[in-house]
């Protein structure tokens, strides 16, 4: 036999015989192998496509071979994170497309920070919002129809509803109250085909974006009715006082040719009179619909009592079949922080909160009319957080060192005072936790006193409400409108720290994310007597944090 020679070719060891027969056999074999390889390279992808068209590969199989729908083909050594699914910036149709995104960044960006909402607006609500936007564009400030309505207002009288009819919102009380009443006034306008205009004093300037496309909801400064913020329960043009003086009567709703006042002032604040409360009667609603201008002032979230007006019942059922989503949907539709406020929000979030795997919001409010000592409130918060497993206990025996890969839980504290933040921060700074977690405690500001009439104070309040709405878990103080707004925007059912008089338990879980109507009327219009309004229908009941209040439930 001849000698065998070795040669290296294309990374393989090939054996060649000296004999010509063996050489021919080897060449033939290699040619056949090469043909098979080429055929596989050409036809295998086509075969995969045909099979894929017939049967979609399972997610488990795709992952097993290193392929996912999110990232495409990748090697096993790739450490690139899988991106989160794209979130719906239009919130299921609540928001209209086509806005200049740069003019109000929060409108389409807030969805990136809040937990995904499990609540979807109904197609009927979405359709009604689009129709309202068209109405507002037609009747908004500086349009021909608005100018015509202003001339009627200047005349001092009206003869009935016009093509465009208005509700003018007048701010009152703290920022949380103001936000709640904007939503209440908008729902009232929506139910009555009226246009909502908001009076914006200097302390509210540059806090809220315009919510409606190609128009404005801001009441022009040359509005002919002056000193709106001075209106109060004794104002002669109030609904209650006009009823008492006989200027208007509810049976006017049946008359065809009438001379009516140019406007009626609706005084719906906590000190409203028994006659003012007749606003919530059905015959009053029918009469007020004849007036082209209604000026509304309130510090109450009066939505629950609208659900008790019989003629609104079917419309509200279609708009909100999930009753407790009213503020959640309308708040996210209307209330968008301006770029000034959104800058505060996003900068703080990115620096302090973004790296945490979970965020616990703690909102603390101490009321002057219901004082509670610092230690009592602090112990209440700590007991609630530990009992409900919201925050871990600390290890007092051993200092402990957290692992390098220990997870961080962020605690956002919002309150006027710094003491609660200092105590919580020191507790978790000086001691390790029983769970091994690292707890970071943060407080954006501590103003020490409420300054509702200062714009900068309101900017910080609005920023902190939005930060709280990003929470995974929320603890709030009973009866705080600040907390109500945060839980509604975030779609959260909070743990509620009770009032001093109700401290039999550390806290209780809210069963509805809706705000509470603190001062509802008890008068039953048809029965002509006071009744328990929390026992009339199943979806309007007394609040968890205020027995005399009313709230929407599912």
């Amino acid at each position: 036999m001849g000698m065998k020679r070795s040669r290296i070719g294309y990374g393989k060891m090939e054996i060649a015989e000296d004999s010509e027969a063996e050489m021919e056999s080897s060449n033939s074999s290699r040619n056949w192998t090469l043909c098979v390889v080429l055929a596989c390279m050409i036809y295998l992808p086509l075969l995969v496509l045909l099979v894929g068209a017939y049967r979609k590969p399972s997610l488990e199989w795709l992952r097993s071979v290193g392929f996912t729908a999110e990232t495409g083909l990748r090697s096993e050594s790739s450490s690139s994170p899988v991106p989160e699914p794209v979130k719906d910036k239009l919130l299921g149709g609540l928001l209209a497309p086509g806005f200049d995104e740069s003019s109000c960044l929060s409108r389409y960006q807030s969805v990136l920070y809040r937990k995904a909402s499990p609540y979807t607006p109904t197609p009927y609500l979405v359709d009604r919002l689009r129709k309202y936007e068209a109405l507002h564009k037609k009747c908004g400030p500086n349009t021909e129809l608005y100018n015509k309505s202003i001339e009627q207002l200047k005349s001092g009288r009206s003869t009935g509803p016009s093509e465009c009819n208005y509700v003018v919102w007048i701010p009152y009380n703290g920022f949380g109250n103001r936000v709640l009443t904007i939503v209440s006034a908008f729902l009232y306008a929506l139910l009555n085909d009226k246009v909502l205009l908001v009076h914006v004093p200097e302390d509210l300037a540059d806090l809220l974006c315009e919510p409606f496309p190609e128009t404005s909801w801001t009441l022009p400064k040359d509005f002919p009715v002056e000193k709106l913020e001075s209106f109060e329960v004794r104002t002669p043009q109030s609904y209650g006082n006009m009823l008492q003086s006989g200027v208007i009567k509810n049976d006017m709703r049946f008359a065809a040719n009438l001379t009516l006042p140019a406007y009626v002032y609706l005084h719906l604040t906590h000190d409203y009179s028994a006659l003012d409360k007749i606003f919530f009667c059905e015959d009053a609603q029918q009469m007020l619909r004849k007036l082209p201008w209604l000026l509304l002032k309130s510090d109450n979230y009066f939505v629950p009592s609208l659900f008790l007006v019989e003629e609104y019942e079917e419309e509200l059922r279609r708009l909100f079949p999930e009753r407790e989503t009213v503020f959640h949907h309308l708040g996210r539709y209307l209330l968008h922080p301006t770029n000034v406020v959104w800058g505060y929000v996003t900068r703080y979030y990115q620096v302090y909160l973004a790296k945490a795997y979970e965020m616990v919001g703690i909102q603390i409010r101490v009321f002057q009319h219901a004082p509670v000592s610092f230690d009592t409130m602090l112990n209440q918060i700590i007991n609630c957080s530990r009992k409900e497993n919201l925050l871990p206990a600390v290890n007092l025996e051993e200092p402990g060192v957290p692992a390098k890969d220990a997870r961080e839980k962020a605690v956002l504290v919002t309150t006027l005072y710094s003491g609660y933040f200092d105590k919580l921060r020191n507790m978790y700074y000086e001691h390790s936790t029983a769970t091994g977690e690292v707890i970071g405690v943060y407080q954006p500001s501590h103003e020490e006193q409420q300054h509702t009439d200062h714009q900068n104070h309101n900017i910080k309040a609005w920023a902190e409400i939005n930060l709280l709405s990003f929470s995974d878990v929320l603890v709030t103080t009973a009866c705080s409108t600040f907390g109500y707004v945060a839980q509604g925007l975030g779609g959260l059912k909070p743990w509620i720290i009770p009032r001093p008089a109700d401290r039999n338990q550390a806290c209780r879980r809210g069963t509805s994310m809706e705000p509470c109507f603190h001062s509802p009327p008890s008068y039953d219009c048809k029965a002509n007597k006071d009744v328990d309004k929390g026992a009339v229908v199943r979806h309007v009941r007394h609040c968890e944090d205020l027995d005399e209040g009313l709230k929407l439930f599912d």
Side-chain angles (χ1 to χ4, degrees):
M1 293 180 61
M3 292 182 59
K4 293 183 179 180
R5 296 179 296 165
S6 296
R7 58 180 180 173
I8 305 296
Y10 296 88
K12 295 182 181 179
M13 182 69 74
E14 296 178 350
I15 308 299
E17 293 288 343
D18 284 339
S19 65
E20 292 183 5
E22 288 181 34
M23 289 288 289
E24 287 182 11
S25 175
S26 178
N27 288 336
S28 176
S29 176
R30 283 198 302 273
N31 291 339
W32 173 250
T33 302
L34 183 59
C35 290
V36 171
V37 171
L38 288 172
C40 288
M41 292 175 66
I42 293 171
Y43 293 110
L44 186 57
L46 295 175
L47 181 61
V48 171
L49 287 173
L50 289 171
V51 172
Y54 173 70
R55 184 168 183 258
K56 183 178 178 180
S58 69
L59 185 60
E60 292 77 11
W61 181 82
L62 289 171
R63 285 174 175 161
S64 71
V65 296
F67 185 94
T68 67
E70 298 88 353
T71 60
L73 192 60
R74 60 182 182 179
S75 66
E76 290 184 0
S77 61
S78 172
S79 59
S80 301
V82 177
E84 293 186 4
V86 177
K87 294 188 176 182
D88 175 18
K89 69 177 185 179
L90 299 182
L91 306 180
L94 277 181
L95 304 183
F99 281 95
D100 175 11
E101 296 193 24
S102 64
S103 67
C104 182
L105 296 171
S106 67
R107 190 190 319 275
Y108 298 132
Q109 287 183 6
S110 60
V111 68
L112 304 176
Y113 294 84
R114 292 190 183 118
K115 291 178 63 178
S117 174
Y119 307 100
T120 303
T122 62
Y124 185 72
L125 173 59
V126 171
D127 180 64
R128 289 287 281 113
L129 293 177
R130 297 296 86 82
K131 289 178 179 176
Y132 174 84
E133 290 162 4
L135 176 67
H136 199 111
K137 183 178 178 181
K138 182 178 78 169
C139 301
N142 303 316
T143 61
E144 182 179 349
L145 290 171
Y146 172 82
N147 294 335
K148 182 179 177 181
S149 296
I150 288 294
E151 291 304 314
Q152 170 269 311
L153 181 61
K154 289 178 179 179
S155 73
R157 62 185 180 85
S158 64
T159 56
S162 303
E163 186 173 354
C164 294
N165 302 284
Y166 300 88
V167 175
V168 175
W169 173 83
I170 304 169
Y172 181 62
N173 224 319
F175 185 78
N177 300 80
R178 297 181 183 194
V179 169
L180 294 177
T181 57
I182 286 176
V183 172
S184 302
F186 176 75
L187 179 58
Y188 178 65
L190 189 70
L191 291 171
N192 290 280
D193 294 318
K194 295 179 182 290
V195 172
L196 175 67
L197 300 177
V198 298
H199 173 50
V200 181
E202 289 184 5
D203 56 76
L204 274 183
D206 207 20
L207 268 75
L208 295 169
C209 296
E210 295 282 358
F212 312 125
E214 302 179 55
T215 185
S216 174
W217 71 344
T218 303
L219 186 72
K221 294 186 181 298
D222 60 356
F223 188 67
V225 182
E226 299 178 344
K227 298 181 180 180
L228 292 174
E229 291 171 86
S230 68
F231 283 24
E232 42 96 24
V233 68
R234 291 167 295 184
T235 297
Q237 294 84 3
S238 76
Y239 172 68
N241 289 329
M242 283 188 169
L243 276 181
Q244 189 172 36
S245 65
V247 174
I248 58 174
K249 299 178 181 179
N250 286 337
D251 58 10
M252 288 179 174
R253 67 191 187 278
F254 301 119
N257 299 313
L258 286 173
T259 298
L260 296 167
Y263 69 88
V264 167
Y265 164 56
L266 302 175
H267 184 78
L268 302 179
T269 67
H270 63 277
D271 64 345
Y272 57 164
S273 69
L275 288 174
D276 287 317
K277 294 176 182 179
I278 293 177
F279 165 83
F280 294 103
C281 294
E282 191 163 348
D283 54 356
Q285 290 299 307
Q286 293 170 359
M287 194 281 296
L288 290 170
R289 203 168 292 128
K290 290 181 172 289
L291 289 148
W293 288 96
L294 298 175
L295 314 185
L296 188 153
K297 187 177 190 179
S298 180
D299 56 355
N300 272 306
Y301 181 72
F302 57 82
V303 167
S305 285
L306 295 179
F307 275 76
L308 296 176
V309 179
E310 188 174 340
E311 75 169 281
Y312 295 148
E313 183 178 347
E314 178 60 21
E315 179 72 359
L316 287 169
R317 184 193 64 78
R318 296 180 69 189
L319 289 169
F320 305 103
E322 294 176 293
R323 308 288 204 237
E324 65 168 299
T325 62
V326 177
F327 186 85
H328 181 58
H329 288 324
L330 295 186
R332 293 181 305 149
Y333 171 68
L334 292 170
L335 307 172
H336 308 292
T338 59
N339 289 351
V340 171
V341 180
W342 193 240
Y344 278 76
V345 173
T346 53
R347 286 190 296 271
Y348 195 91
Y349 180 85
Q350 293 296 344
V351 172
Y352 298 107
L353 307 173
K355 61 183 179 295
Y357 82 94
E358 185 179 65
M359 177 176 156
V360 178
I362 300 179
Q363 180 267 328
I364 304 168
R365 177 68 193 275
V366 178
F367 297 96
Q368 291 183 348
H369 64 270
V372 57
S373 71
F374 172 84
D375 288 335
T376 299
M377 177 63 82
L378 179 65
N379 290 335
Q380 199 81 9
I381 293 165
I382 293 174
N383 290 339
C384 172
S385 301
R386 290 181 177 173
K387 179 183 176 184
E388 305 300 339
N389 295 317
L390 309 181
L391 292 174
V394 294
N395 192 337
L396 300 177
E397 303 298 328
E398 300 178 6
V401 177
K404 285 186 176 181
D405 59 350
R407 299 196 299 174
E408 178 182 340
K409 180 179 287 189
V411 179
L412 179 73
V413 178
T414 65
T415 178
L416 292 172
Y417 316 107
S418 60
Y420 300 101
F421 160 75
D422 290 335
K423 287 287 187 179
L424 290 170
R425 179 197 58 186
N426 292 343
M427 181 174 72
Y428 284 111
Y429 175 66
E430 295 170 0
H431 305 283
S432 63
T433 63
T435 60
E437 297 169 291
V438 175
I439 307 299
V441 182
Y442 309 98
Q443 181 178 11
S445 71
H446 48 89
E447 299 281 282
E448 301 303 326
Q449 291 183 341
Q450 188 170 2
H451 301 286
T452 302
D453 56 344
H454 292 179
Q455 183 198 36
N456 191 54
H457 178 88
N458 289 330
I459 287 175
K460 291 177 182 178
W462 186 214
E464 292 179 21
I465 286 173
N466 278 272
L467 286 167
L468 279 176
S469 75
F470 301 164
S471 300
D472 297 288
V473 178
L474 185 61
V475 179
T476 63
T477 305
C479 303
S480 172
T481 57
F482 197 100
Y484 291 162
V485 178
Q487 72 193 41
L489 293 176
L492 302 166
K493 296 179 181 179
W495 294 95
I496 304 169
I497 302 294
R499 296 185 301 168
D502 305 322
R503 293 276 162 90
N504 294 325
Q505 52 186 341
C507 59
R508 62 182 297 186
R509 184 73 183 273
T511 54
S512 167
M513 60 186 173
E514 274 286 291
C516 176
F517 181 5
H518 287 170
S519 307
S522 57
Y523 179 70
D524 186 291
C525 310
K526 291 184 177 180
N528 196 28
K529 63 179 182 180
D530 288 340
V531 299
D532 180 2
K533 288 297 186 77
V536 177
V537 293
R538 289 189 301 171
H539 53 273
V540 179
R541 304 200 298 272
H542 292 294
C543 310
E544 304 100 331
D545 57 342
L546 187 66
D547 290 341
E548 59 267 33
L550 291 180
K551 186 174 181 177
L552 292 170
F553 294 83
D554 279 333

